[in-house]
Structure formats: C-alpha cells, structure tokens
Amino acid sequence: MTNANEVFGETLVKSLKGERGHIPIERALSDIDYELAGKQIGELPYTIYQLLSHMLYWQRWFLGYLEGEQPVLPKSAMESWPEEDKPTNEEEWNKMIEELLSGVDQACEFAMNTQLDEPLEKWPTEPKAGILRNMASHNSYHLAEIVLIRRIFGAWPPPGGGYPS
C-alpha cells in the first residue's frame, strides 16, 4: 500500500514545477530578458516583471509560514504589486528568476519531506499541504499570464518548445 502523504507530496511537486497541465515554470521563464520583462502594450495592466515580482511576494509569504514564521498579510492586494514596471538591469531580472525557482525548489522539499496534513504552527487552521497547493495555484495562474504576454509580443515559444513535457 502506498503512503498517501508521499503520493500527495509527489503530486504537489508536479504542480509546483509544472507538468502536463502547463509548461514547466523554468522553461517558460528561461529566455525572457529584462527588456521583454518590462515591455508594455495597450491595455495590459502589468508587465512580466510586475507579474514575477507579485509571484515572488506571495511565494516569500507562503514559504515564511512553512518555515514557522507569521508573515504579515498586506492591508491591500496592491501592496503585493511593484510600482515600477521594469527591472533596472539584466542582473536584477536574472536574480528574480533565480529566487523564484529556488523558492519552488524549497517548496518541493517541504512537499516531499514533511507531514502534509500537519497544521502550520502560526496558522493552526491551515495544513502544510494547503499552503503548498495555494503557492502552486498562484504561480500557475500568473505563469499563464506571462505566457499570454509572451505570445502577444511574439516571444513564444521558448527554446525547447511551448508544450508541457
């Protein structure tokens, strides 16, 4: 008989990294340069840079809870979005991508090495699996927006193709 915690952990890892349902997050971001990250068009409400900044904000928040912290919930959702619309340079942009991917790896470690139905220390009504699922869903939602923006700018597919592997 299979351990349900292990099976669900493996499922969460697939959702966090991206598979079948969407392109792996690393491949979708791998070739975006800082100019494309800050490019704007028409009525789009945000840039790829702003989306990734927002994803990082919430990823840090989710991981904080998993690490036993109690992150402060912003007073408004707008606090999780940056005012600037583009990174200052390629180095800043690349660090952001690295941080996002590192955070995904960290979440995957939690998914595989923790009791997923345990409640969080600082949020006892939420199990660890709930935080990981929320992080995966949030990243997936905004990754789809990044893919759409790339398509609008003719910057799709990435190297290796745009179909999930």
Side-chain angles (χ1 to χ4, degrees):
M1 187 151 233
T2 308
N3 177 334
N5 191 78
E6 184 179 323
V7 170
F8 190 55
E10 290 171 2
T11 301
L12 282 169
V13 167
K14 289 176 183 176
S15 294
L16 287 159
K17 288 194 174 274
E19 63 86 43
R20 294 190 187 150
H22 63 78
I23 188 168
I25 196 166
E26 184 173 12
R27 188 160 33 144
L29 300 175
S30 66
D31 66 319
I32 299 173
D33 63 25
Y34 85 102
E35 289 177 6
L36 177 58
K39 199 170 179 180
Q40 294 184 306
I41 190 170
E43 298 298 316
L44 284 178
Y46 29 66
T47 65
I48 292 172
Y49 166 80
Q50 289 170 316
L51 282 163
L52 194 68
S53 293
H54 173 76
M55 291 166 71
L56 278 169
Y57 180 97
W58 287 106
Q59 182 170 277
R60 291 176 193 126
W61 194 86
F62 291 133
L63 290 173
Y65 265 111
L66 289 169
E67 293 169 347
E69 300 168 11
Q70 190 167 7
V72 176
L73 191 63
K75 291 180 181 129
S76 157
M78 290 309 296
E79 290 179 34
S80 67
W81 290 92
E83 289 183 25
E84 50 287 328
D85 57 4
K86 61 185 173 188
T88 24
N89 56 45
E90 194 77 40
E91 182 181 359
E92 176 192 359
W93 175 245
N94 289 331
K95 284 182 180 180
M96 289 174 65
I97 293 172
E98 287 173 24
E99 182 183 349
L100 187 83
L101 296 175
S102 176
V104 168
D105 288 342
Q106 188 178 353
C108 290
E109 285 294 318
F110 276 109
M112 295 307 300
N113 297 306
T114 192
Q115 187 60 39
L116 294 168
D117 60 351
E118 281 181 357
L120 294 161
E121 179 183 333
K122 304 287 183 177
W123 190 357
T125 60
E126 184 70 20
K128 292 175 182 177
I131 289 290
L132 291 165
R133 185 201 55 81
N134 282 329
M135 184 176 149
S137 296
H138 187 257
N139 280 352
S140 180
Y141 177 89
H142 290 301
L143 184 67
E145 293 177 306
I146 289 171
V147 168
L148 178 62
I149 292 171
R150 289 188 65 167
R151 290 181 69 128
I152 289 169
F153 286 122
W156 191 257
Y163 190 75
S165 62

